[in-house]
Amino acid sequence: MRYSEEYQACYSQEYIEASNHPLIQSKNMFCVIYRSTSRDQTYLYVEKKDDFSRVPEELMKSFGRPQLAMLLPLDGRKKLAGADLEKVKKALTDQGYYLQLPPPPENLLKQHLEVNGKK
């Protein structure tokens, strides 16, 4: 299937400017997700593309250079892959960002001892 040039231009990465994008002009809640270059499996959700004005400076320093991952509609969604949807919405509304950290590493020794009993 071939898309029109207008469609391709509309959804190209250069065009997705959260403040100007046609999807963002609707009343739906969207967020822009960035991947950390410094921390594996760490993501920063903000309300508008390249607007980190509400993100604390220290957090931005430790996060590294943000890499655009995706633009995501939050309304009508039941869940997110690695974060609680309601927490994300509340954080975006209250503080202007949400930081998704990687899950804690599995402690295989602890699991083994719990299953087999401590010896």
Side-chain angles (χ1 to χ4, degrees):
M1 177 177 204
R2 187 167 171 93
Y3 296 104
S4 70
E5 288 181 25
E6 182 179 309
Y7 178 89
Q8 290 176 7
C10 179
Y11 291 96
S12 68
Q13 189 164 337
E14 294 81 31
Y15 185 81
I16 297 178
E17 298 281 341
S19 59
N20 297 327
H21 194 278
L23 293 173
I24 302 304
Q25 298 301 319
S26 70
K27 295 184 182 187
N28 294 331
M29 185 174 200
F30 284 79
C31 69
V32 184
I33 304 174
Y34 291 88
R35 180 181 5 263
S36 173
T37 53
S38 300
R39 296 177 161 189
D40 191 34
Q41 297 182 44
T42 302
Y43 298 89
L44 182 64
Y45 297 57
V46 294
E47 298 173 290
K48 295 181 180 178
K49 184 175 185 267
D50 297 331
D51 182 3
F52 304 103
S53 60
R54 295 180 66 190
V55 181
E57 188 176 326
E58 287 301 313
L59 173 57
M60 288 306 299
K61 285 180 184 175
S62 66
F63 189 78
R65 189 179 61 79
Q67 286 186 330
L68 181 63
M70 70 178 72
L71 176 71
L72 187 69
L74 296 178
D75 289 337
R77 207 170 255 290
K78 293 190 171 136
K79 63 181 182 173
L80 295 173
D84 180 286
L85 178 62
E86 293 308 313
K87 286 182 182 178
V88 170
K89 286 181 175 183
K90 182 165 178 28
L92 286 173
T93 302
D94 294 350
Q95 62 190 22
Y97 72 94
Y98 175 81
L99 181 65
Q100 178 184 325
L101 298 171
E106 285 186 81
N107 186 333
L108 298 176
L109 176 60
K110 182 179 177 184
Q111 290 177 4
H112 174 75
L113 293 174
E114 287 173 357
V115 171
N116 296 314
K118 295 181 182 178
K119 294 185 181 180

